[in-house]
Amino acid sequence: SRIGQINCPLYVVHGTSDEVVPYSQGRALYDLAKDPKEFLPIPNAGHTDFFEVYGVKRYTEKMLVFLRHQENNQKRGEP
């Protein structure tokens, strides 16, 4: 219920094979959150193996794109 109160950029990463927190719950939280937000599903990843499954470089590049976009929005005075 508090996810809608977050007032900062949100980057959600969730493994589709997560057995600790079901993928559907991660997606539901993302759907309830305000913009700006981004959801990165990691196919076949569990709860803690994003890097091994997705690759550190690929994961980092995706995160940096999101962060740069947020930085550019901030410079323009956008949320």
Side-chain angles (χ1 to χ4, degrees), residues 9-14 27 30 33-41 61-63 65-67 69-70:
L10 179 68
Y11 191 76
V12 178
V13 180
H14 208 112
R27 185 63 204 205
Y30 170 80
K34 295 184 223 174
D35 287 325
K37 61 184 180 179
E38 186 165 329
F39 188 81
L40 177 62
E61 287 171 353
K62 290 274 190 181
M63 175 71 80
V65 167
F66 176 77
L67 292 172
H69 181 74
Q70 299 312 312

Side-chain angles (χ1 to χ4, degrees), residues 11 40-43 50-65:
Y11 191 76
L40 177 62
I42 308 291
F50 303 138
F51 289 155
E52 293 85 0
V53 173
Y54 198 66
V56 173
K57 183 177 180 185
R58 192 168 159 199
Y59 177 87
T60 303
E61 287 171 353
K62 290 274 190 181
M63 175 71 80
L64 287 173
V65 167

